[in-house]
Amino acid sequence: MTTIFNIFSFVFGAAVGSFLNVCIYRLPEGESIVRPPSRCPHCRHPVRFYDNIPLVSFLLLGAKCRDCGGKISWRYPLVELITAIFSLLLFIKFGATLNFLVFFIVTAVLIVITFIDLDHQIIPDVLTLPGIVLFTAAAIFIVGVPWLEALIGLVAGGSVLFLIGQVYKLLKKVEGMGGGDVKLLAMIGGFFGWKSLIFVLLFSSLTGAVAGVTAMIVHKKDLKYAVPFGPFLSAGAVAYIFWGDLARHWLLLL
């Protein structure tokens, strides 16, 4: 039965990942994520239900639209696979509980934020502003995060990046931290509590620095080359789900 439930959680995640692709594509354009149904971005022909099977259809179609032959981006199966893997890992960690559903929804929102920020260098308020309220409430009333820890995390999460951005702007005379990042970390702090922020900031700063240097080398850019920070904050938050207890234990030993 355990194997069956694990398989179901993977398939469930892949199906949700298909919907996340719709969100990633349409939210930056201000389009509805409900209507019209999925369609080819090239010829705009509606996608048949049997051509919209997560992961499988991409392979069967040879990464091409059945109607116009337009290339289907590798991004679609990648998002489905990432969501499926995290669904499985979260199910293994939490089992068939309400906590699994809450953490999966938070992770799904972070996946959408990651890919939108990579594509457009924006983090839509339609995700973070409701997320701040709803995820903080879920943390307190479902997950069991003490209300004071959640509220301090919300305020501290937003304040720290805001202050860093203001100091950078004062020194360099340019914007150093987008408002979307500020709201995102407030959302993360509100859900995980203030104790998560040290780990999330360290993790995101380290991975962001490595990715930024790598991108500059690959693209032959100087130090002014901009790399969106949202994906690394999101990665730090997801990493905290699995490694947060170990990180807190390690930090207490310092």
Side-chain angles (χ1 to χ4, degrees), residues 11-35:
V11 173
F12 169 73
V16 173
S18 181
F19 173 69
L20 298 188
N21 276 316
V22 175
C23 298
I24 292 167
Y25 182 81
R26 296 187 184 183
L27 284 179
E29 305 298 328
E31 299 179 7
S32 169
I33 59 176
V34 179
R35 296 181 182 278

Side-chain angles (χ1 to χ4, degrees), residues 91-141:
F91 185 80
I92 292 173
K93 180 176 177 65
F94 296 107
T97 63
L98 195 55
N99 273 1
F100 160 75
L101 185 60
V102 170
F103 278 91
F104 177 72
I105 292 173
V106 170
T107 301
V109 170
L110 293 173
I111 290 172
V112 174
I113 286 173
T114 292
F115 284 95
I116 290 179
D117 203 14
L118 286 172
D119 284 343
H120 303 280
Q121 286 73 57
I122 60 170
I123 299 176
D125 286 346
V126 70
L127 294 173
T128 53
L129 293 182
I132 289 173
V133 177
L134 295 177
F135 293 155
T136 301
I140 296 170
F141 296 109

Side-chain angles (χ1 to χ4, degrees), residues 1-17 80-93 95-96 100 104:
M1 289 299 293
T2 299
T3 301
I4 294 175
F5 282 127
N6 287 342
I7 292 173
F8 177 79
S9 68
F10 184 90
V11 173
F12 169 73
V16 173
E80 292 166 356
L81 180 60
I82 290 173
T83 311
I85 290 173
F86 279 124
S87 177
L88 174 59
L89 293 176
L90 289 168
F91 185 80
I92 292 173
K93 180 176 177 65
F100 160 75
F104 177 72

Side-chain angles (χ1 to χ4, degrees), residues 142-174:
I142 299 177
V143 178
V145 177
W147 68 270
L148 189 57
E149 284 190 21
L151 293 182
I152 292 175
L154 190 161
V155 174
S159 299
V160 64
L161 287 188
F162 177 78
L163 292 175
I164 291 174
Q166 292 302 305
V167 171
Y168 187 90
K169 183 178 181 179
L170 182 64
L171 296 176
K172 299 292 186 177
K173 308 303 180 183
V174 294

Side-chain angles (χ1 to χ4, degrees), residues 200-246:
V200 172
L201 286 171
L202 287 175
F203 186 96
S204 57
S205 298
L206 178 60
T207 54
V210 172
V213 171
T214 302
M216 285 187 290
I217 294 173
V218 171
H219 296 284
K220 298 180 180 179
K221 301 288 186 178
D222 59 23
L223 293 175
K224 295 181 180 179
Y225 184 68
V227 176
F229 195 45
F232 303 104
L233 288 173
S234 299
V238 174
Y240 186 79
I241 297 174
F242 301 99
W243 301 328
D245 291 339
L246 179 62

